Amino acid sequence: EAWLTTSRPWQFEPDTEASRTKRLPLDLAHYILGRRFEVLAKEEGSPITDGYAVRENLVNLIDWGHVVVTPLEGRWEDAVRVLEQEVRRAIEYGFTSSELNDIKNKATVGYGAAVATADTRESSDLSWDFIDSINERAVFSTPEVDLDFIEKALDSTTPEIVHQAFKNYWQTEDVALFLTTSDEQAQTTADE
């Protein structure tokens, strides 16, 4: 895999509607970028099989963002180019209304499905959700509350807001590229 990463100290914010609303545009940008990789992976001759982007909180200490693509065997150099070009394109040009609307629709459907299946959740799943909320210092909320929040927050989210969030996070000098390959690929590259 090819990983473009950035990290900084984690800045704790209490879990409120305002803080969730503030984080949402970057999450949406990452989902859109993942969708772009999904489309690119299906193109004939594509050097990647998939890709995604995410921002994670590592043990409440590190704010770690990474954009990852999985190259086809022997195509890692081309995959790195795709990774770099797509991140650069998102920083420079942002996202379209169509892309944002697609992700908004998927989010609304997903949260709606959680409401519809709330009464049939497995106890173990519910327990893990509760444990995750404790670990993340987040308020545990019902699917109905989550759906209400996401509908309101998405309503006021524009492509410009999503672009600015992505740009603010990824336009930094503190970016590293990591590549993981099979032993064979690494040896072939080293021999060249």
PDB file of all heavy atoms in Angstrom, residues 27-48:
ATOM      1  N   ASP A  27     -14.554  14.858   7.319  1.00  0.00           N
ATOM      2  CA  ASP A  27     -15.002  13.470   7.139  1.00  0.00           C
ATOM      3  C   ASP A  27     -15.645  13.293   5.768  1.00  0.00           C
ATOM      4  O   ASP A  27     -15.379  12.309   5.064  1.00  0.00           O
ATOM      5  CB  ASP A  27     -16.001  13.072   8.231  1.00  0.00           C
ATOM      6  CG  ASP A  27     -15.374  12.975   9.609  1.00  0.00           C
ATOM      7  OD1 ASP A  27     -14.140  12.856   9.717  1.00  0.00           O
ATOM      8  OD2 ASP A  27     -16.144  13.019  10.594  1.00  0.00           O
ATOM      9  N   LEU A  28     -16.476  14.230   5.375  1.00  0.00           N
ATOM     10  CA  LEU A  28     -17.130  14.160   4.066  1.00  0.00           C
ATOM     11  C   LEU A  28     -16.102  14.230   2.935  1.00  0.00           C
ATOM     12  O   LEU A  28     -16.201  13.494   1.953  1.00  0.00           O
ATOM     13  CB  LEU A  28     -18.164  15.273   3.919  1.00  0.00           C
ATOM     14  CG  LEU A  28     -19.361  15.192   4.864  1.00  0.00           C
ATOM     15  CD1 LEU A  28     -20.192  16.470   4.770  1.00  0.00           C
ATOM     16  CD2 LEU A  28     -20.214  13.968   4.591  1.00  0.00           C
ATOM     17  N   ALA A  29     -15.104  15.103   3.082  1.00  0.00           N
ATOM     18  CA  ALA A  29     -14.048  15.204   2.075  1.00  0.00           C
ATOM     19  C   ALA A  29     -13.322  13.870   1.924  1.00  0.00           C
ATOM     20  O   ALA A  29     -13.051  13.416   0.809  1.00  0.00           O
ATOM     21  CB  ALA A  29     -13.052  16.309   2.449  1.00  0.00           C
ATOM     22  N   HIS A  30     -13.038  13.229   3.045  1.00  0.00           N
ATOM     23  CA  HIS A  30     -12.360  11.937   3.004  1.00  0.00           C
ATOM     24  C   HIS A  30     -13.230  10.871   2.330  1.00  0.00           C
ATOM     25  O   HIS A  30     -12.725  10.055   1.552  1.00  0.00           O
ATOM     26  CB  HIS A  30     -11.961  11.500   4.416  1.00  0.00           C
ATOM     27  CG  HIS A  30     -10.787  12.248   4.940  1.00  0.00           C
ATOM     28  ND1 HIS A  30     -10.567  12.454   6.287  1.00  0.00           N
ATOM     29  CD2 HIS A  30      -9.746  12.863   4.315  1.00  0.00           C
ATOM     30  CE1 HIS A  30      -9.451  13.139   6.463  1.00  0.00           C
ATOM     31  NE2 HIS A  30      -8.940  13.400   5.275  1.00  0.00           N
ATOM     32  N   TYR A  31     -14.525  10.881   2.613  1.00  0.00           N
ATOM     33  CA  TYR A  31     -15.428   9.930   1.954  1.00  0.00           C
ATOM     34  C   TYR A  31     -15.460  10.167   0.440  1.00  0.00           C
ATOM     35  O   TYR A  31     -15.457   9.216  -0.341  1.00  0.00           O
ATOM     36  CB  TYR A  31     -16.845  10.021   2.522  1.00  0.00           C
ATOM     37  CG  TYR A  31     -16.998   9.396   3.886  1.00  0.00           C
ATOM     38  CD1 TYR A  31     -17.484  10.141   4.951  1.00  0.00           C
ATOM     39  CD2 TYR A  31     -16.671   8.061   4.123  1.00  0.00           C
ATOM     40  CE1 TYR A  31     -17.630   9.580   6.205  1.00  0.00           C
ATOM     41  CE2 TYR A  31     -16.811   7.493   5.367  1.00  0.00           C
ATOM     42  CZ  TYR A  31     -17.294   8.259   6.413  1.00  0.00           C
ATOM     43  OH  TYR A  31     -17.434   7.693   7.657  1.00  0.00           O
ATOM     44  N   ILE A  32     -15.498  11.429   0.049  1.00  0.00           N
ATOM     45  CA  ILE A  32     -15.508  11.742  -1.388  1.00  0.00           C
ATOM     46  C   ILE A  32     -14.213  11.269  -2.045  1.00  0.00           C
ATOM     47  O   ILE A  32     -14.234  10.674  -3.133  1.00  0.00           O
ATOM     48  CB  ILE A  32     -15.730  13.253  -1.638  1.00  0.00           C
ATOM     49  CG1 ILE A  32     -17.138  13.671  -1.196  1.00  0.00           C
ATOM     50  CG2 ILE A  32     -15.496  13.599  -3.108  1.00  0.00           C
ATOM     51  CD1 ILE A  32     -17.352  15.184  -1.164  1.00  0.00           C
ATOM     52  N   LEU A  33     -13.086  11.515  -1.399  1.00  0.00           N
ATOM     53  CA  LEU A  33     -11.812  11.076  -1.962  1.00  0.00           C
ATOM     54  C   LEU A  33     -11.793   9.547  -2.079  1.00  0.00           C
ATOM     55  O   LEU A  33     -11.335   8.999  -3.091  1.00  0.00           O
ATOM     56  CB  LEU A  33     -10.652  11.579  -1.105  1.00  0.00           C
ATOM     57  CG  LEU A  33      -9.262  11.476  -1.702  1.00  0.00           C
ATOM     58  CD1 LEU A  33      -9.163  12.144  -3.063  1.00  0.00           C
ATOM     59  CD2 LEU A  33      -8.234  12.064  -0.747  1.00  0.00           C
ATOM     60  N   GLY A  34     -12.306   8.855  -1.076  1.00  0.00           N
ATOM     61  CA  GLY A  34     -12.405   7.401  -1.148  1.00  0.00           C
ATOM     62  C   GLY A  34     -13.266   6.953  -2.308  1.00  0.00           C
ATOM     63  O   GLY A  34     -12.951   5.976  -3.003  1.00  0.00           O
ATOM     64  N   ARG A  35     -14.345   7.671  -2.543  1.00  0.00           N
ATOM     65  CA  ARG A  35     -15.226   7.364  -3.672  1.00  0.00           C
ATOM     66  C   ARG A  35     -14.498   7.577  -5.004  1.00  0.00           C
ATOM     67  O   ARG A  35     -14.641   6.789  -5.935  1.00  0.00           O
ATOM     68  CB  ARG A  35     -16.489   8.226  -3.599  1.00  0.00           C
ATOM     69  CG  ARG A  35     -17.433   8.049  -4.744  1.00  0.00           C
ATOM     70  CD  ARG A  35     -18.157   6.711  -4.697  1.00  0.00           C
ATOM     71  NE  ARG A  35     -19.040   6.622  -5.854  1.00  0.00           N
ATOM     72  CZ  ARG A  35     -18.976   5.656  -6.765  1.00  0.00           C
ATOM     73  NH1 ARG A  35     -18.123   4.672  -6.632  1.00  0.00           N
ATOM     74  NH2 ARG A  35     -19.790   5.657  -7.797  1.00  0.00           N
ATOM     75  N   ARG A  36     -13.684   8.634  -5.082  1.00  0.00           N
ATOM     76  CA  ARG A  36     -12.896   8.873  -6.301  1.00  0.00           C
ATOM     77  C   ARG A  36     -11.948   7.701  -6.558  1.00  0.00           C
ATOM     78  O   ARG A  36     -11.797   7.246  -7.695  1.00  0.00           O
ATOM     79  CB  ARG A  36     -12.097  10.172  -6.188  1.00  0.00           C
ATOM     80  CG  ARG A  36     -12.933  11.420  -6.328  1.00  0.00           C
ATOM     81  CD  ARG A  36     -12.077  12.664  -6.212  1.00  0.00           C
ATOM     82  NE  ARG A  36     -12.876  13.873  -6.356  1.00  0.00           N
ATOM     83  CZ  ARG A  36     -12.373  15.102  -6.280  1.00  0.00           C
ATOM     84  NH1 ARG A  36     -11.069  15.282  -6.068  1.00  0.00           N
ATOM     85  NH2 ARG A  36     -13.160  16.153  -6.414  1.00  0.00           N
ATOM     86  N   PHE A  37     -11.307   7.210  -5.501  1.00  0.00           N
ATOM     87  CA  PHE A  37     -10.407   6.064  -5.667  1.00  0.00           C
ATOM     88  C   PHE A  37     -11.184   4.823  -6.110  1.00  0.00           C
ATOM     89  O   PHE A  37     -10.698   4.038  -6.922  1.00  0.00           O
ATOM     90  CB  PHE A  37      -9.637   5.773  -4.378  1.00  0.00           C
ATOM     91  CG  PHE A  37      -8.585   6.794  -4.045  1.00  0.00           C
ATOM     92  CD1 PHE A  37      -8.492   7.315  -2.765  1.00  0.00           C
ATOM     93  CD2 PHE A  37      -7.683   7.237  -4.999  1.00  0.00           C
ATOM     94  CE1 PHE A  37      -7.527   8.255  -2.445  1.00  0.00           C
ATOM     95  CE2 PHE A  37      -6.706   8.181  -4.696  1.00  0.00           C
ATOM     96  CZ  PHE A  37      -6.634   8.687  -3.406  1.00  0.00           C
ATOM     97  N   GLU A  38     -12.373   4.656  -5.580  1.00  0.00           N
ATOM     98  CA  GLU A  38     -13.223   3.520  -5.970  1.00  0.00           C
ATOM     99  C   GLU A  38     -13.518   3.567  -7.471  1.00  0.00           C
ATOM    100  O   GLU A  38     -13.424   2.549  -8.164  1.00  0.00           O
ATOM    101  CB  GLU A  38     -14.523   3.584  -5.166  1.00  0.00           C
ATOM    102  CG  GLU A  38     -15.471   2.436  -5.368  1.00  0.00           C
ATOM    103  CD  GLU A  38     -16.738   2.620  -4.545  1.00  0.00           C
ATOM    104  OE1 GLU A  38     -16.674   3.077  -3.391  1.00  0.00           O
ATOM    105  OE2 GLU A  38     -17.821   2.300  -5.084  1.00  0.00           O
ATOM    106  N   VAL A  39     -13.846   4.741  -7.975  1.00  0.00           N
ATOM    107  CA  VAL A  39     -14.135   4.907  -9.398  1.00  0.00           C
ATOM    108  C   VAL A  39     -12.866   4.679 -10.227  1.00  0.00           C
ATOM    109  O   VAL A  39     -12.891   3.963 -11.232  1.00  0.00           O
ATOM    110  CB  VAL A  39     -14.738   6.311  -9.680  1.00  0.00           C
ATOM    111  CG1 VAL A  39     -14.796   6.601 -11.167  1.00  0.00           C
ATOM    112  CG2 VAL A  39     -16.122   6.425  -9.036  1.00  0.00           C
ATOM    113  N   LEU A  40     -11.755   5.268  -9.790  1.00  0.00           N
ATOM    114  CA  LEU A  40     -10.491   5.101 -10.523  1.00  0.00           C
ATOM    115  C   LEU A  40     -10.050   3.644 -10.566  1.00  0.00           C
ATOM    116  O   LEU A  40      -9.510   3.175 -11.578  1.00  0.00           O
ATOM    117  CB  LEU A  40      -9.388   5.950  -9.885  1.00  0.00           C
ATOM    118  CG  LEU A  40      -9.486   7.455 -10.112  1.00  0.00           C
ATOM    119  CD1 LEU A  40      -8.509   8.200  -9.209  1.00  0.00           C
ATOM    120  CD2 LEU A  40      -9.235   7.793 -11.567  1.00  0.00           C
ATOM    121  N   ALA A  41     -10.278   2.918  -9.492  1.00  0.00           N
ATOM    122  CA  ALA A  41      -9.864   1.513  -9.431  1.00  0.00           C
ATOM    123  C   ALA A  41     -10.602   0.658 -10.453  1.00  0.00           C
ATOM    124  O   ALA A  41     -10.080  -0.362 -10.899  1.00  0.00           O
ATOM    125  CB  ALA A  41     -10.093   0.966  -8.023  1.00  0.00           C
ATOM    126  N   LYS A  42     -11.795   1.075 -10.843  1.00  0.00           N
ATOM    127  CA  LYS A  42     -12.596   0.305 -11.806  1.00  0.00           C
ATOM    128  C   LYS A  42     -12.248   0.611 -13.262  1.00  0.00           C
ATOM    129  O   LYS A  42     -12.690  -0.090 -14.162  1.00  0.00           O
ATOM    130  CB  LYS A  42     -14.082   0.567 -11.567  1.00  0.00           C
ATOM    131  CG  LYS A  42     -14.571  -0.018 -10.255  1.00  0.00           C
ATOM    132  CD  LYS A  42     -16.021   0.315 -10.009  1.00  0.00           C
ATOM    133  CE  LYS A  42     -16.462  -0.248  -8.664  1.00  0.00           C
ATOM    134  NZ  LYS A  42     -17.825   0.158  -8.334  1.00  0.00           N
ATOM    135  N   GLU A  43     -11.461   1.667 -13.476  1.00  0.00           N
ATOM    136  CA  GLU A  43     -11.088   2.025 -14.844  1.00  0.00           C
ATOM    137  C   GLU A  43     -10.097   1.012 -15.405  1.00  0.00           C
ATOM    138  O   GLU A  43      -9.233   0.511 -14.681  1.00  0.00           O
ATOM    139  CB  GLU A  43     -10.460   3.422 -14.883  1.00  0.00           C
ATOM    140  CG  GLU A  43     -11.432   4.528 -14.616  1.00  0.00           C
ATOM    141  CD  GLU A  43     -10.789   5.911 -14.669  1.00  0.00           C
ATOM    142  OE1 GLU A  43      -9.564   6.016 -14.896  1.00  0.00           O
ATOM    143  OE2 GLU A  43     -11.523   6.887 -14.461  1.00  0.00           O
ATOM    144  N   GLU A  44     -10.225   0.751 -16.699  1.00  0.00           N
ATOM    145  CA  GLU A  44      -9.310  -0.185 -17.345  1.00  0.00           C
ATOM    146  C   GLU A  44      -7.887   0.359 -17.266  1.00  0.00           C
ATOM    147  O   GLU A  44      -7.638   1.539 -17.539  1.00  0.00           O
ATOM    148  CB  GLU A  44      -9.714  -0.390 -18.802  1.00  0.00           C
ATOM    149  CG  GLU A  44      -8.942  -1.513 -19.462  1.00  0.00           C
ATOM    150  CD  GLU A  44      -9.462  -1.838 -20.846  1.00  0.00           C
ATOM    151  OE1 GLU A  44     -10.666  -1.620 -21.105  1.00  0.00           O
ATOM    152  OE2 GLU A  44      -8.648  -2.293 -21.659  1.00  0.00           O
ATOM    153  N   GLY A  45      -6.963  -0.495 -16.877  1.00  0.00           N
ATOM    154  CA  GLY A  45      -5.556  -0.113 -16.791  1.00  0.00           C
ATOM    155  C   GLY A  45      -5.193   0.629 -15.512  1.00  0.00           C
ATOM    156  O   GLY A  45      -4.056   1.083 -15.367  1.00  0.00           O
ATOM    157  N   SER A  46      -6.118   0.755 -14.579  1.00  0.00           N
ATOM    158  CA  SER A  46      -5.836   1.462 -13.340  1.00  0.00           C
ATOM    159  C   SER A  46      -4.734   0.763 -12.552  1.00  0.00           C
ATOM    160  O   SER A  46      -4.714  -0.464 -12.468  1.00  0.00           O
ATOM    161  CB  SER A  46      -7.093   1.543 -12.471  1.00  0.00           C
ATOM    162  OG  SER A  46      -6.784   2.136 -11.218  1.00  0.00           O
ATOM    163  N   PRO A  47      -3.825   1.540 -11.953  1.00  0.00           N
ATOM    164  CA  PRO A  47      -2.758   0.925 -11.155  1.00  0.00           C
ATOM    165  C   PRO A  47      -3.184   0.612  -9.718  1.00  0.00           C
ATOM    166  O   PRO A  47      -2.393   0.093  -8.941  1.00  0.00           O
ATOM    167  CB  PRO A  47      -1.660   1.988 -11.176  1.00  0.00           C
ATOM    168  CG  PRO A  47      -2.409   3.272 -11.262  1.00  0.00           C
ATOM    169  CD  PRO A  47      -3.616   2.970 -12.129  1.00  0.00           C
ATOM    170  N   ILE A  48      -4.426   0.966  -9.336  1.00  0.00           N
ATOM    171  CA  ILE A  48      -4.878   0.730  -7.960  1.00  0.00           C
ATOM    172  C   ILE A  48      -6.094  -0.194  -7.935  1.00  0.00           C
ATOM    173  O   ILE A  48      -6.861  -0.261  -8.894  1.00  0.00           O
ATOM    174  CB  ILE A  48      -5.211   2.048  -7.226  1.00  0.00           C
ATOM    175  CG1 ILE A  48      -6.406   2.763  -7.858  1.00  0.00           C
ATOM    176  CG2 ILE A  48      -3.988   2.952  -7.154  1.00  0.00           C
ATOM    177  CD1 ILE A  48      -6.935   3.942  -7.056  1.00  0.00           C
TER     178      ILE A  48
END
